[in-house]
Amino acid sequence: IIIDTREANPYFHNYPLEIKKLDWADYCVIPNDQNVFFEKKEISDFAGTMSGGFDRFRRELQRAKDKNAYIIVIIEAEYNQLLSINHLPHTKFIKAKADFLLHRTRDLYLEFDNFQMVACGNKTKTIEIINKLLKMDNIKNYDIQFLLDSSII
């Protein structure tokens, strides 16, 4: 697994690791035949990306699309936490409202077909899901949130 040089707390320790600058994600697997990358975000990172970091993230998605790369954004939160982001004790400082953040996410889905976001839960569940995704073929063809919500993965 390649870990981006800016990744402060890497998730993986049971795989051979290489630290290298990645242009648009935190992780990728070698060989990367599917050209799939993983970006993890805590709930506050998600809010920051969809508000103040929105234009930067759009440019990142465009650069990835130009290189035929696919990004799976893994959010360390349950979907219902995203809906109630302004009412959680650890996110009370976030000023952007949930409907605004999700509207922006939808706008990105309408513009780009080279990414998907998945609300996985806590860090332990996120690591478990990424480990399962690393073993999947043709990952771009799946709605990962549906697979997760349906307990298929």
Side-chain angles (χ1 to χ4, degrees), residues 1 3 9-15 17 27 127 130-131 134:
I1 295 179
I3 299 174
N9 297 309
Y11 275 177
F12 302 99
H13 304 287
N14 299 332
Y15 292 93
L17 303 176
Y27 306 102
I127 293 169
I130 291 176
N131 275 308
L134 291 174

Side-chain angles (χ1 to χ4, degrees), residues 41-150:
K41 296 209 175 286
E42 294 177 4
I43 194 167
S44 57
D45 296 332
F46 165 75
T49 297
M50 290 299 111
S51 54
F54 186 75
D55 291 332
R56 182 200 57 78
F57 189 61
R58 280 184 76 247
R59 289 189 302 272
E60 188 174 293
L61 287 174
Q62 185 60 57
R63 283 194 319 273
K65 185 173 185 161
D66 292 344
K67 297 289 185 177
N68 198 32
Y70 192 85
I71 301 173
I72 299 171
V73 180
I74 306 284
I75 304 167
E76 287 182 7
E78 299 289 341
Y79 187 73
N80 64 352
Q81 291 176 308
L82 297 177
L83 295 175
S84 58
I85 196 166
N86 305 108
H87 307 289
L88 302 172
H90 60 288
T91 59
K92 62 184 175 187
F93 60 91
I94 295 173
K95 294 183 177 161
K97 301 293 182 204
D99 58 346
F100 173 78
L101 299 173
L102 295 174
H103 178 83
R104 283 230 155 143
T105 302
R106 186 204 59 184
D107 288 348
L108 289 175
Y109 274 121
L110 292 172
E111 185 174 355
F112 296 98
D113 61 356
N114 65 316
F115 87 105
Q116 59 179 296
M117 290 192 175
V118 182
C120 283
N122 60 30
K123 182 177 180 175
T124 302
K125 184 72 172 170
T126 300
I127 293 169
E128 177 187 326
I129 295 303
I130 291 176
N131 275 308
K132 289 178 181 181
L133 295 175
L134 291 174
K135 297 171 182 148
M136 289 177 65
D137 290 325
N138 301 315
I139 197 167
K140 300 174 192 179
N141 297 333
Y142 295 100
D143 180 333
I144 298 168
Q145 189 69 59
F146 173 78
L147 296 177
L148 183 61
D149 293 346
S150 302

